[in-house]
Amino acid sequence: MPLIQEIDYGTPPTVAQTLVSLEIDGKPVTVPAGTSIMRAAVDAGVQVPKLCATDSVKAFGSCRLCLVEIDGRRGTPASCTTLAEPGMKVRTQTPKLAKLRRGVMELYISDHPLDCLTCAANGNCELQDMAGVVGLREVRYGYEGANHIKSTKDESNPYFTFDPGKCIVCSRCVRACEEVQGTFALTIDGRGFASVVSAGNKDFIDSECVSCGACVQACPTATLMEKSVIAKGQGEHSVITTCAYCGVGCTFKAEMQGNEVVRMVPFKDGKANHGHSCVKGRFSWGYATHKDRMLKPMIRARITDPWREVTWDEAIGYAAGEFKRIQAKYGRDSIGGITSSRCTNEETYLVQKMVRAAFGNNNVDTCARVCHSPTGYGLNATFGTSAGTQDFDSVEDADVIVVIGANPTDAHPVFASQMKRRLREGAHLIVIDPRRIDLIKTPHVQADYHLPLRPGTNVAVINAISHVVVTEGLVDEPYVAERCDTKAFDLWRNFIAEERNSPEALETLTGVPAADVRAAARLYATGGNAAIYYGLGVTEHSQGSTMVMGMANLAMATGNIGKRGVGVNPLRGQNNVQGSCDMGSFPHEFSGYRHVSTDAVREMFEEAWNVTLQGEPGLRIPNMLDAAVEGTFMGLYVQGEDIAQSDPNTHHVTSGLGAMECVVVQDLFLNETASYAHVFLPGSSFLEKDGTFTNAERRLGMVRKAIPPMAGLADWEVTMALSKALGYEMHYNHPSEIMDEIARLTPTFAGVSFKKLDEVGSLQWPCNANAPEGTPIMHIGKFVRGKGRFMITEFVPTEERTSGRFPLILTTGRILSQYNVGAQTKRTENNVWHAEDILDIHPFDAEHRGIRDGDRVELSSRAGKTSLHARITERIQPGVVYTTFHHAVSGANVVTTDFTDWATGCPEYKVTAVQVRPVKKESEWQEHYRETKRITTQIMSEASAGD
Ligand code: SF4
Ligand code: SF4
Ligand code: SF4
Ligand code: FES
């Protein structure tokens, strides 16, 4: 595909229903009321010269290049700030305008270095273009006067430069940072000729900047410029694809030179991101070609042996042979597979198909087990669908936004920007979180209520909120009567109204003042459209599923389901965690969440796949590991997942992996799990394959191959080869054929195909005959399950209790610049922001233990010990400590325990009783880890020396 140049309409669109008709350069055009003349002109096929306007930010009217003449009006108004009116006759090209524009351009160019031919933006610079458009041939003032040309460049950001010598002070960057990103990191300092763009009088790296790239995108010159473009030049062609990091699912234009990515530009038509991005998708793609990529299959008989590089055929043959041998010796159920939420839907579908059809059992699970499995369970039980209820754009109609156990500005940054925009417009905000997350107070945003609950008391807090709704007469009675199962509602109403669920009764337990709970509950129930957004702080608890049901109860009771601006919305973590669940990655479900024991469904798959399938659910990941330790589960295929780092209780995970006779790991890098592997199969990155990802709003976005698979095969091809070697052949020439099969066998995907996705860009399931264009909002008019079902949500404290020995509670989370186990982001420049995981501790707890800021501290729990450097901060409440889990050596999961959600087995990452004390050196586990890493590296270098 040639390099796609998106149209810049100059000013943002309006959504008014009323239309106005006018004439521009004699061409009639009709636009929504409120549209600028500049934007209307583009619709009429006329491009008005411009510099300070771009359609991602509101018009500013500073450059005076876009002047027009309007019949019957005096002067030459700016077309970007003047709105189209009925009957207007506008002229954009007159001798008077041409003269004025040349004069404006002359001033700009006289203060601009004339290095166009060697400038990185040459050919893609609006200033250069405009000089051409207005026909500027010479500059009367000369270039010798006072100018900014020799200003010092700021190279501090690892991904882009700021060269003030090229700045035309159009303030597009400042407005993009404010309006698009919502960070307000930039200002224009000084006045007139002395005006300069400033990142708060600091270098970019030390400023508030979060490297989202919105300013770089908006800059019409080479002032703010990607370093990759400066180094490599501009792209020659582009490929539209989907970000492979988080569940926002931003659409990007990968600009390429041959098989090399030059830059990733957020795509304006992307329906999840509308042209915005965060640092990860925009800049942190270098991992895809990092030198650590493993590009050759390898095998070894024992995990203490050196790896031996082999051909694909030999590796696949060896893995299949081992799996067959194990099944012959230990039985059919002695092997299983783990699908990846990083891989495409098509790849995930194939892995679960291989397990069910070729392994002959249902021992398949996915990393959603450790994150959002309670979402599936809780929302299915109450609403009838295992997914969020809204599209992201719905937030634009929310009047009250409730964020529970989520940190959107770090974990879902692009959606956070959209949410912040709505909050700046005046929506109210309630945050329920043990930590003071950034959203609570950001520029022009201030939470109405922050309920800083004790970790592990989510259900008590949601019950207390519902108690207020029920006992203060705030239930939407007509909605409940019409839409919900009233018997279940009556039971729930009686339960929730009990005094023990009141905010006052629960105050001591939750740590949240009852008055705040009451006020927040009233705001939620009476403040207009109320929308709940939640994250792993809800699900990763022993009562994760109960909490999901508690939020669903509250939303139903107040009529906040089934229209725009409301809903219960999981902010799903990984790029395709929704998809991996949809595709049948759980041991009890086929694609589309249909139970394996349902005869009609199973028979349909048996007929389509031409194989007999098992009707009993298989093993979940923790059960596979238990069975391995017991000696009954001996073979595992893990695609794109690093359970040795990401799953709780590392000792237990590694004991299970270490006990197996054949572990097959397929990944981009030799990850922690690979230390226990016998077969390593190279994985392919998102740039190397075709397929789809499904984001947190159920949106399927296309992933398109930008470069050939670096190891020769895409992941779906590897799974097909392994299945064939096991005796079950699959026939697909392209991932589109896999999607066609998914659509044939899955009613909610019946209308999905690559052809349709190419036409419309993206689709939200359900997409079928009833909803051929997909379903942005679920449960309109009627719940998927018929009547919404209220569930009793008794609060049961976790068994993980603090004690004299472990008096603090550890809770964990993510940071913007790193991603999950860090496999990708650690191999990028993002390490400048977060080179190690840090333990946040309140000053009170630190002082009590003699801990100073920056000290190394031991973090110990009933499960194990590790050590980290401490940061003393009041963002965390007394009695609670917090860390991230991005670096393997931190061993955050060495201390997390085996406690899990009662319904789904999702680990209780968010509550671990711990003790913290100053130490001088790393823990035994860390020393062991470093030694293992050293040996692995040595084995690898010996292997490559022998090549
Ligand atoms: S990169 Fe983003 S956060 Fe940083 S200054 Fe630019 S717009 Fe603001
Ligand atoms: S840095 Fe770019 S966008 Fe910002 S004021 Fe200068 S020229 Fe305009
Ligand atoms: S918000 Fe998520 S999907 Fe979007 S660019 Fe960032 S990491 Fe990628
Ligand atoms: S583009 Fe309209 S004044 Fe600058």
Side-chain angles (χ1 to χ4, degrees):
M1 191 184 286
L3 196 67
I4 298 170
Q5 295 289 3
E6 293 163 89
I7 298 170
D8 185 349
Y9 290 84
T11 60
T14 51
V15 288
Q17 299 296 318
T18 330
L19 297 177
V20 297
S21 295
L22 65 160
E23 234 177 58
I24 300 177
D25 290 346
K27 296 178 183 170
V29 64
T30 300
V31 292
T35 303
S36 68
I37 291 176
M38 176 178 279
R39 192 175 174 102
V42 178
D43 279 350
V46 174
Q47 192 82 49
V48 185
K50 65 180 184 58
L51 274 177
C52 69
T54 186
D55 58 13
S56 60
V57 292
K58 289 186 208 125
F60 192 55
S62 70
C63 76
R64 309 299 295 164
L65 200 66
C66 69
L67 308 178
V68 292
E69 291 188 80
I70 303 171
D71 284 5
R73 288 206 193 173
R74 293 172 54 182
T76 50
S79 64
C80 61
T81 50
T82 310
L83 301 186
E85 287 176 20
M88 256 183 180
K89 288 194 186 340
V90 179
R91 278 166 296 131
T92 73
Q93 307 295 338
T94 67
K96 180 178 171 188
L97 293 172
K99 191 167 172 224
L100 285 169
R101 287 178 189 146
R102 266 200 299 278
V104 169
M105 279 307 295
E106 236 180 311
L107 283 171
Y108 279 122
I109 296 294
S110 65
D111 188 9
H112 197 81
L114 295 178
D115 61 353
C116 288
L117 288 182
T118 53
C119 176
N122 188 22
N124 192 8
C125 168
E126 291 182 44
L127 187 70
Q128 188 184 39
D129 291 348
M130 288 307 122
V133 165
V134 305
L136 186 70
R137 300 276 173 264
E138 61 183 59
V139 171
R140 285 168 294 167
Y141 318 118
Y143 304 100
E144 305 309 323
N147 60 43
H148 301 90
I149 294 168
K150 297 218 162 43
S151 313
T152 316
K153 267 193 196 180
D154 176 354
E155 303 263 17
S156 62
N157 186 287
Y159 296 116
F160 59 84
T161 60
F162 173 62
D163 181 357
K166 294 188 169 173
C167 181
I168 59 170
V169 203
C170 64
S171 95
R172 275 163 61 161
C173 54
V174 178
R175 287 175 285 144
C177 191
E178 293 175 4
E179 295 174 32
V180 180
Q181 165 58 22
T183 291
F184 293 75
L186 302 178
T187 50
I188 302 280
D189 276 356
R191 303 178 76 104
F193 178 78
S195 306
V196 284
V197 170
S198 158
N201 286 322
K202 294 176 183 157
D203 282 347
F204 268 78
I205 196 74
D206 299 321
S207 72
E208 296 296 312
C209 169
V210 293
S211 298
C212 71
C215 56
V216 183
Q217 177 81 348
C219 183
T221 65
T223 312
L224 285 159
M225 192 65 169
E226 296 92 346
K227 287 184 176 172
S228 58
V229 175
I230 294 172
K232 299 176 186 178
Q234 292 176 34
E236 299 156 339
H237 67 278
S238 49
V239 179
I240 305 300
T241 191
T242 303
C243 177
Y245 277 111
C246 87
V248 177
C250 298
T251 309
F252 276 88
K253 185 170 58 163
E255 294 189 352
M256 312 286 301
Q257 274 180 5
N259 282 337
E260 195 175 12
V261 178
V262 170
R263 68 174 169 182
M264 298 287 280
V265 183
F267 195 49
K268 283 205 291 196
D269 277 350
K271 295 193 179 80
N273 57 321
H274 304 294
H276 190 33
S277 59
C278 82
V279 60
K280 294 190 285 289
R282 177 79 154 96
F283 296 118
S284 321
W285 36 267
Y287 72 88
T289 49
H290 193 274
K291 63 175 177 45
D292 288 356
R293 274 286 297 270
M294 303 304 296
L295 300 175
K296 295 268 176 55
M298 301 186 295
I299 60 175
R300 57 183 177 182
R302 286 178 302 270
I303 60 172
T304 45
D305 290 349
W307 284 107
R308 189 162 63 82
E309 286 182 359
V310 293
T311 62
W312 276 107
D313 282 349
E314 189 176 348
I316 300 272
Y318 182 82
E322 279 296 279
F323 282 162
K324 283 188 201 162
R325 177 187 68 74
I326 289 169
Q327 283 190 305
K329 185 170 169 192
Y330 298 97
R332 188 191 65 202
D333 296 334
S334 58
I335 63 172
I338 298 178
T339 71
S340 172
S341 293
R342 327 290 352 255
C343 288
T344 63
N345 285 315
E346 295 70 20
E347 288 164 341
T348 308
Y349 176 84
L350 279 206
V351 173
Q352 62 89 32
K353 178 174 177 178
M354 179 182 72
V355 169
R356 299 187 205 280
F359 290 8
N361 60 43
N362 287 318
N363 291 338
V364 61
D365 207 356
T366 176
C367 67
R369 169 74 47 222
V370 299
C371 65
H372 268 289
S373 49
T375 288
Y377 185 91
L379 295 185
N380 195 36
T382 46
F383 302 157
T385 305
S386 300
T389 59
Q390 314 295 118
D391 59 355
F392 289 139
D393 287 353
S394 161
V395 79
E396 289 165 8
D397 285 329
D399 302 306
V400 180
I401 296 171
V402 188
V403 175
I404 312 182
N407 186 9
T409 50
D410 277 49
H412 300 86
V414 165
F415 177 61
S417 291
Q418 193 174 19
M419 188 188 268
K420 284 194 288 186
R421 208 172 311 137
R422 180 65 192 138
L423 292 166
R424 289 198 302 275
E425 286 167 1
H428 294 283
L429 174 65
I430 300 168
V431 172
I432 305 179
D433 200 284
R435 290 198 313 142
R436 275 193 72 76
I437 58 169
D438 283 345
L439 201 56
I440 289 170
K441 192 164 174 15
T442 65
H444 306 283
V445 171
Q446 168 86 53
D448 295 76
Y449 299 101
H450 172 212
L451 311 185
L453 77 179
R454 291 220 170 84
T457 62
N458 283 337
V459 172
V461 170
I462 208 77
N463 283 351
I465 293 174
S466 289
H467 175 91
V468 177
V469 169
V470 164
T471 55
E472 294 192 7
L474 304 177
V475 170
D476 185 340
E477 302 284 355
Y479 180 93
V480 172
E482 186 197 332
R483 302 280 311 267
C484 302
D485 174 342
T486 45
K487 265 197 194 143
F489 172 71
D490 289 339
L491 284 174
W492 176 77
R493 184 202 291 261
N494 292 338
F495 154 76
I496 213 78
E498 288 174 29
E499 182 50 30
R500 66 197 173 93
N501 286 321
S502 72
E504 290 72 19
L506 291 166
E507 184 174 297
T508 319
L509 181 85
T510 62
V512 184
D516 286 357
V517 175
R518 283 200 179 270
R522 288 170 195 145
L523 176 59
Y524 176 83
T526 64
N529 287 339
I532 296 175
Y533 296 90
Y534 70 94
L536 302 180
V538 157
T539 53
E540 289 176 344
H541 286 276
S542 61
Q543 281 204 292
S545 294
T546 316
M547 178 62 183
V548 174
M549 293 188 286
M551 296 183 302
N553 290 339
L554 176 65
M556 287 189 290
T558 50
N560 278 311
I561 294 288
K563 58 181 177 179
R564 269 177 73 89
V566 300
V568 178
N569 302 289
L571 294 174
R572 310 205 63 151
Q574 304 207 56
N575 55 325
N576 199 34
V577 67
Q578 178 70 54
S580 73
C581 299
D582 301 341
M583 291 298 107
S585 293
F586 288 130
H588 63 293
E589 284 169 340
F590 290 115
S591 58
Y593 304 98
R594 289 156 306 153
H595 206 279
V596 292
S597 65
T598 309
D599 291 344
V601 173
R602 199 176 60 256
E603 281 159 21
M604 182 180 68
F605 278 94
E606 285 180 333
E607 197 186 329
W609 294 353
N610 195 24
V611 69
T612 303
L613 298 169
Q614 304 303 316
E616 288 293 312
L619 297 175
R620 298 168 171 180
I621 296 169
N623 309 123
M624 292 182 200
L625 295 165
D626 290 344
V629 173
E630 286 159 15
T632 57
F633 187 90
M634 288 291 134
L636 183 65
Y637 172 45
V638 192
Q639 187 182 65
E641 178 67 13
D642 192 5
I643 58 171
Q645 189 181 343
S646 63
D647 284 32
N649 196 344
T650 309
H651 291 301
H652 179 60
V653 177
T654 52
S655 306
L657 287 170
M660 293 183 204
E661 293 182 6
C662 182
V663 174
V664 179
V665 166
Q666 186 176 9
D667 208 283
L668 301 182
F669 305 105
L670 213 52
N671 60 17
E672 301 307 316
T673 309
S675 300
Y676 300 86
H678 305 82
V679 180
F680 184 88
L681 305 174
S684 49
S685 77
F686 77 113
L687 293 169
E688 297 158 47
K689 55 201 178 189
D690 290 308
T692 55
F693 292 151
T694 307
N695 77 353
E697 35 161 23
R698 295 170 277 106
R699 184 184 298 284
L700 284 100
M702 287 296 296
V703 178
R704 293 189 179 86
K705 185 153 80 177
I707 57 176
M710 288 174 67
L713 295 176
D715 296 345
W716 60 277
E717 294 172 302
V718 177
T719 308
M720 243 169 47
L722 181 58
S723 189
K724 182 178 175 191
L726 284 161
Y728 181 79
E729 229 175 306
M730 306 184 195
H731 303 278
Y732 307 99
N733 297 306
H734 186 265
S736 61
E737 295 174 10
I738 307 173
M739 179 50 83
D740 291 344
E741 179 177 314
I742 296 165
R744 273 198 305 278
L745 294 172
T746 318
T748 39
F749 285 76
V752 179
S753 67
F754 279 29
K755 185 166 171 284
K756 175 110 190 171
L757 284 163
D758 281 339
E759 282 164 18
V760 298
S762 61
L763 281 168
Q764 286 173 273
W765 66 257
C767 175
N768 48 29
N770 295 332
E773 301 307 313
T775 310
I777 313 278
M778 303 279 295
H779 315 295
I780 294 178
K782 184 173 172 234
F783 284 96
V784 168
R785 70 175 302 281
K787 296 281 186 189
R789 181 165 55 169
F790 284 82
M791 303 291 287
I792 301 295
T793 52
E794 191 75 61
F795 171 63
V796 180
T798 170
E799 288 174 40
E800 176 71 353
R801 304 277 163 83
T802 52
S803 63
R805 208 167 136 223
F806 301 111
L808 302 170
I809 294 177
L810 167 72
T811 189
T812 59
R814 292 181 184 161
I815 198 157
L816 171 69
S817 56
Q818 292 290 349
Y819 189 75
N820 264 19
V821 294
Q824 297 144 291
T825 44
K826 260 185 326 201
R827 294 180 171 94
T828 68
E829 302 288 333
N830 285 21
N831 288 333
V832 300
W833 291 289
H834 187 78
E836 62 173 307
D837 295 314
I838 301 282
L839 188 81
D840 283 351
I841 185 165
H842 189 272
F844 173 81
D845 294 319
E847 190 183 353
H848 187 57
R849 288 166 175 77
I851 295 167
R852 288 161 309 172
D853 201 57
D855 277 357
R856 179 172 288 283
V857 292
E858 179 189 83
L859 178 69
S860 57
S861 75
R862 294 178 182 96
K865 284 179 188 168
T866 188
S867 76
L868 298 159
H869 288 110
R871 174 170 50 209
I872 299 177
T873 169
E874 290 190 4
R875 279 173 63 118
I876 198 85
Q877 52 182 288
V880 179
V881 290
Y882 169 85
T883 190
T884 48
F885 49 84
H886 300 303
H887 295 272
V889 70
S890 314
N893 284 325
V894 172
V895 292
T896 53
T897 65
D898 276 341
F899 291 117
T900 58
D901 172 46
W902 61 272
T904 62
C906 180
E908 191 171 40
Y909 288 114
K910 300 296 180 188
V911 186
T912 308
V914 293
Q915 179 58 293
V916 178
R917 69 180 181 98
V919 283
K920 289 275 175 270
K921 58 183 193 116
E922 293 191 322
S923 71
E924 234 172 76
W925 179 86
Q926 285 168 312
E927 283 172 0
H928 173 73
Y929 171 83
R930 287 197 193 276
E931 179 60 12
T932 313
K933 273 277 135 196
R934 193 189 60 74
I935 293 168
T936 310
T937 314
Q938 194 179 337
I939 290 172
M940 286 310 302
S941 54
E942 280 166 13
S944 45
D947 279 352

